[in-house]
Amino acid sequence: MIEVYTDATPNGLKVSIALEELGLLYKVRRVFLGGEQMTPEFTALNPNQKIPVLVDDDVVVTESGAILFYLAEKTGKLLPKNPKARIKAIEMLFNQMSSLGPMIGQLVVFRGPWQNKAPEVTNRYFKEVSRIYGVLNKRLEGQPYFAGDEFSIADIAFLPWIRFAANVPFTADLPLAENPNLKAWLERVLARPAVQKGVAIPEPFPPEKQFEGFIKATVGVGDLHK
């Protein structure tokens, strides 16, 4: 059976959403990011000491984007068969990994743990995420999903991050409503039954513990990377 080492973070939720969409059996091993990722056992699975990690018999896959691609290749699902749509899904998967995720992550760190002590830096990340929202809105013009007519791993990659940004006070002022195609896409994908189940797996730790793990694991803020 597939095992997933994960937490209720945007990158972790990508994997549970994909597994629910695919209907695969899997076991969740929730990792407290306040230190459990530093253990020798976890480090043997991922020397980068990050979640998620997927173990499928003798195959170990790290990096959320690689896990999504692995699952799509394994099942022949969540990637369009049409070559043009397929490469568009892969392109947008890479786009999320290199742009939106890191930029929202930095915006939350500078506004949250660092309490906006460097407002010019915070503003740089806010402007960049706002710009990316506009690009994504344009990508969705005339089509329901990022690769065209089919829901794919590209949509799964973006979903938890945009959902997270819409629900966290530090990023509530991002221009989601000003980008109607993106807002409609978010509502559309969140209505999927498998998505609704996947975004609740794993159950998050109590808020104070979840935040403690976030702080401890944040390089330059927490005490895990001295």
Side-chain angles (χ1 to χ4, degrees):
M1 180 184 291
I2 291 173
E3 294 182 304
V4 183
Y5 294 77
T6 188
D7 187 23
T9 68
N11 285 334
L13 294 178
K14 293 176 190 176
V15 181
S16 53
I17 292 169
L19 289 165
E20 291 298 327
E21 284 281 347
L22 294 168
L24 296 175
L25 294 176
Y26 63 102
K27 180 182 292 184
V28 172
R29 299 193 179 276
R30 187 171 61 167
V31 179
F32 175 52
L33 299 180
E36 290 181 2
Q37 75 275 36
M38 314 293 284
T39 64
E41 294 79 12
F42 187 88
T43 303
L45 295 173
N46 185 6
N48 196 30
Q49 298 175 325
K50 301 282 188 180
I51 60 98
V53 176
L54 182 140
V55 181
D56 186 10
D57 292 327
D58 61 344
V59 177
V60 179
V61 190
T62 69
E63 298 298 326
S64 60
I67 293 171
L68 292 180
F69 187 76
Y70 172 80
L71 291 172
E73 289 281 280
K74 174 185 174 74
T75 61
K77 300 177 181 178
L78 296 177
L79 264 178
K81 299 295 190 292
N82 176 277
K84 288 185 178 180
R86 178 183 175 87
I87 196 60
K88 185 58 63 177
I90 295 171
E91 172 191 306
M92 292 304 293
L93 172 66
F94 279 48
N95 179 285
Q96 186 280 316
M97 297 294 296
S98 66
S99 63
L100 187 72
M103 294 300 102
I104 289 179
Q106 292 300 321
L107 177 59
V108 170
V109 167
F110 278 95
R111 278 188 169 179
W114 275 331
Q115 301 177 349
N116 203 25
K117 293 177 181 177
E120 67 280 5
V121 177
T122 305
N123 191 46
R124 174 265 194 276
Y125 289 115
F126 179 82
K127 286 185 175 180
E128 177 60 2
V129 176
S130 299
R131 185 192 70 82
I132 294 169
Y133 273 28
V135 173
L136 297 178
N137 191 70
K138 183 66 175 177
R139 292 270 194 175
L140 289 164
E141 188 72 43
Q143 61 186 48
Y145 303 112
F146 282 116
D149 293 331
E150 295 183 45
F151 180 81
S152 73
I153 55 175
D155 301 286
I156 294 175
F158 280 102
L159 170 57
W161 279 104
I162 296 175
R163 171 181 175 268
F164 170 77
N167 292 332
V168 173
F170 301 132
T171 50
D173 55 340
L174 284 168
L176 180 61
E178 293 83 349
N179 290 282
N181 296 331
L182 185 61
K183 186 174 184 292
W185 167 87
L186 181 62
E187 294 169 352
R188 186 181 306 119
V189 294
L190 284 175
R192 298 174 67 91
V195 168
Q196 291 176 9
K197 188 171 181 180
V199 295
I201 302 173
E203 181 181 352
F205 292 100
E208 64 278 3
K209 185 171 183 178
Q210 195 78 31
F211 190 68
E212 176 193 351
F214 170 64
I215 293 293
K216 290 176 74 69
T218 300
V219 177
V221 178
D223 58 7
L224 294 182
H225 301 280
K226 292 183 177 178

